Amino acid sequence: MNIKLTCLLIILGIASIEVYSQNNGVTNNWILGYGSYAGYPNGHTRIEFIGGMPQITSDSLEMDIFRTSANISDAQGNLLFYTNGYYIADATNDTMQNGNNISPTGATVLQPEALNIPQACLILPKPGSNSIYYVFHNTVDNSPQYSLSYYLYMSTIDMSLNNGLGAVTSKNVVMIQDSLNAGKITACKHANGRDWWVLAQRANSNIYYKLLISTNVILGPYSQAIGSPRNIMNFGMTGFSPDGTKFAFFYANYVAAGGLDVYDFNRCTGQLSNPTHIYIPQSNGKSGGLAFSGNSRYLYCANIEQLYQFDMASTNIAASQQTVAVWDSFYSPSPPFATLFEMPLLAPDGKIYISTGNSTFHLHVINNPDSAGLACDVQQHAIQLPHYYVNGLPNHPNYFLKCDSTLGCLCAPTTNLTPYPS
């Protein structure tokens, strides 16, 4: 029995090492904060996960980063490039060649430092390439109402150019033209394990647009009407479960009640199905967000002063709702900078970190997000940072999802070209 137990522990150890290695590298770097030009307490916090435990250090960059944030690293965890929705910076923290003026918009008049929309940029490696990346992005086109985007753009980056620092080879190519919900750009690996589905939402409707990103062609946009129509002024976030079987849209609203829509997702066909709508009480702010646990069972929704958990395995998802945290009236460093619940993100260490919705020095953390109810262990303002930040957790899809041939799609040929584990 001891021999069997030892073998089992070895197998589990190897499995955990494999899982750990697949969830580091590409999503290793989180960059938060304001440009260092204004002096302390402004500046940047860099959180790196490549060593297992998050390493928090101070950094000095030029870019301001608000709610719009996306970056990508190589398989070894070296940062390749990042963006705040206004321009793209390379690994030297300088503007990437031709990387300025993405998503042209009048919103820069209101917020000249950085775009302030959750999930308004998303970075995907081009399937089958080891040097080409696509950046999908949008902005606000109806300032000052600050709610609509009229275009979903794509810009292309070739990392083989400019001595490995990369260059933008095409910029602001219109992929979808319509009245879209600003931000909320999400993606999921196709069931073939190589291609990507990219989703965006038509404003004031229940229509989802989808693009299929393949090796040599981008197909679509396809559209699907499903679920509840969403008000034009809804804020919030969307996301896929790590296993790609669920898609969720949490929308908060500071003038009316919000909601949560949960769907089944078919990675082979790109179809959403089995919509579930859940009423969410009116938020005390104009934002909020969601994140799935690593095992895809639990969904967490941040509603400014409350943090909810939903069980995706329940036959009644709405009835599974549990309040796992209520804001404890903590300010950082002092009023009015409340440490509220806004943008959650599943990290490479398996924990979920939550931004506070204000310029504070703290992050919340869910230590055991795969556990039900209060056992998930929410620790409010437990992570102290060296500089102010305003949300800005990066928009990272699951780059590591495998092929699933049970859905009716063949697995794509394996390749050694991809810069991340496949």
Tab-separated table of all heavy atoms in Angstrom, residues 62 87-90 92-100 162:
chain	number	residue	atom	x	y	z
A	62	GLU	N	6.366	54.444	-18.567
A	62	GLU	CA	5.705	55.663	-18.999
A	62	GLU	C	4.193	55.487	-19.120
A	62	GLU	O	3.431	56.434	-18.969
A	62	GLU	CB	6.264	56.116	-20.349
A	62	GLU	CG	7.716	56.569	-20.294
A	62	GLU	CD	8.192	57.108	-21.625
A	62	GLU	OE1	7.361	57.208	-22.549
A	62	GLU	OE2	9.391	57.416	-21.740
A	87	TYR	N	-1.974	52.818	-27.008
A	87	TYR	CA	-0.801	52.483	-27.792
A	87	TYR	C	-0.217	51.172	-27.267
A	87	TYR	O	-0.606	50.668	-26.201
A	87	TYR	CB	0.241	53.602	-27.776
A	87	TYR	CG	0.994	53.810	-26.487
A	87	TYR	CD1	2.268	53.266	-26.305
A	87	TYR	CD2	0.470	54.586	-25.455
A	87	TYR	CE1	2.991	53.486	-25.133
A	87	TYR	CE2	1.184	54.814	-24.290
A	87	TYR	CZ	2.438	54.262	-24.129
A	87	TYR	OH	3.146	54.472	-22.972
A	88	ILE	N	0.725	50.607	-28.035
A	88	ILE	CA	1.350	49.329	-27.707
A	88	ILE	C	2.811	49.588	-27.371
A	88	ILE	O	3.520	50.270	-28.117
A	88	ILE	CB	1.232	48.344	-28.887
A	88	ILE	CG1	-0.243	48.094	-29.221
A	88	ILE	CG2	1.940	47.027	-28.568
A	88	ILE	CD1	-0.453	47.368	-30.539
A	89	ALA	N	3.271	49.055	-26.250
A	89	ALA	CA	4.658	49.203	-25.826
A	89	ALA	C	5.394	47.871	-25.988
A	89	ALA	O	4.814	46.797	-25.788
A	89	ALA	CB	4.733	49.669	-24.373
A	90	ASP	N	6.677	47.948	-26.331
A	90	ASP	CA	7.467	46.735	-26.502
A	90	ASP	C	8.185	46.381	-25.197
A	90	ASP	O	7.953	47.003	-24.155
A	90	ASP	CB	8.452	46.880	-27.661
A	90	ASP	CG	9.473	48.003	-27.460
A	90	ASP	OD1	9.788	48.336	-26.296
A	90	ASP	OD2	9.970	48.543	-28.467
A	92	THR	N	11.067	46.949	-24.170
A	92	THR	CA	11.915	48.006	-23.609
A	92	THR	C	11.071	49.119	-22.996
A	92	THR	O	11.624	50.132	-22.552
A	92	THR	CB	12.839	48.607	-24.685
A	92	THR	OG1	12.057	49.352	-25.627
A	92	THR	CG2	13.621	47.515	-25.393
A	93	ASN	N	9.767	48.959	-23.016
A	93	ASN	CA	8.799	49.927	-22.491
A	93	ASN	C	8.675	51.176	-23.352
A	93	ASN	O	8.072	52.169	-22.944
A	93	ASN	CB	9.130	50.320	-21.045
A	93	ASN	CG	9.181	49.110	-20.132
A	93	ASN	OD1	8.289	48.274	-20.164
A	93	ASN	ND2	10.242	49.009	-19.343
A	94	ASP	N	9.222	51.127	-24.559
A	94	ASP	CA	9.046	52.201	-25.521
A	94	ASP	C	7.862	51.855	-26.426
A	94	ASP	O	7.437	50.690	-26.503
A	94	ASP	CB	10.320	52.360	-26.352
A	94	ASP	CG	10.384	53.691	-27.093
A	94	ASP	OD1	9.466	54.519	-26.898
A	94	ASP	OD2	11.340	53.887	-27.854
A	95	THR	N	7.320	52.852	-27.112
A	95	THR	CA	6.242	52.587	-28.056
A	95	THR	C	6.739	51.653	-29.141
A	95	THR	O	7.782	51.901	-29.772
A	95	THR	CB	5.733	53.897	-28.688
A	95	THR	OG1	5.276	54.770	-27.650
A	95	THR	CG2	4.590	53.628	-29.648
A	96	MET	N	6.022	50.564	-29.364
A	96	MET	CA	6.402	49.631	-30.423
A	96	MET	C	6.362	50.338	-31.774
A	96	MET	O	5.571	51.262	-31.988
A	96	MET	CB	5.460	48.423	-30.421
A	96	MET	CG	5.760	47.398	-31.497
A	96	MET	SD	4.689	45.942	-31.408
A	96	MET	CE	5.453	45.043	-30.052
A	97	GLN	N	7.217	49.915	-32.681
A	97	GLN	CA	7.235	50.494	-34.017
A	97	GLN	C	5.838	50.434	-34.637
A	97	GLN	O	5.251	49.364	-34.751
A	97	GLN	CB	8.245	49.731	-34.881
A	97	GLN	CG	8.420	50.278	-36.285
A	97	GLN	CD	9.495	49.521	-37.045
A	97	GLN	OE1	10.545	49.198	-36.494
A	97	GLN	NE2	9.229	49.226	-38.302
A	98	ASN	N	5.302	51.598	-34.999
A	98	ASN	CA	3.957	51.754	-35.560
A	98	ASN	C	2.873	51.375	-34.557
A	98	ASN	O	1.733	51.103	-34.935
A	98	ASN	CB	3.791	50.928	-36.850
A	98	ASN	CG	2.583	51.367	-37.655
A	98	ASN	OD1	2.206	52.543	-37.653
A	98	ASN	ND2	1.944	50.428	-38.324
A	99	GLY	N	3.197	51.395	-33.258
A	99	GLY	CA	2.239	50.963	-32.252
A	99	GLY	C	1.434	52.071	-31.605
A	99	GLY	O	0.716	51.823	-30.634
A	100	ASN	N	1.506	53.268	-32.137
A	100	ASN	CA	0.748	54.378	-31.556
A	100	ASN	C	-0.645	54.472	-32.179
A	100	ASN	O	-0.922	53.889	-33.232
A	100	ASN	CB	1.495	55.699	-31.756
A	100	ASN	CG	1.687	56.041	-33.223
A	100	ASN	OD1	1.771	55.144	-34.057
A	100	ASN	ND2	1.769	57.314	-33.535
A	162	ASN	N	12.253	44.395	-36.144
A	162	ASN	CA	12.859	45.368	-35.231
A	162	ASN	C	13.728	44.671	-34.175
A	162	ASN	O	13.616	44.936	-32.980
A	162	ASN	CB	11.769	46.216	-34.565
A	162	ASN	CG	12.305	47.478	-33.934
A	162	ASN	OD1	13.374	47.969	-34.308
A	162	ASN	ND2	11.568	48.008	-32.981
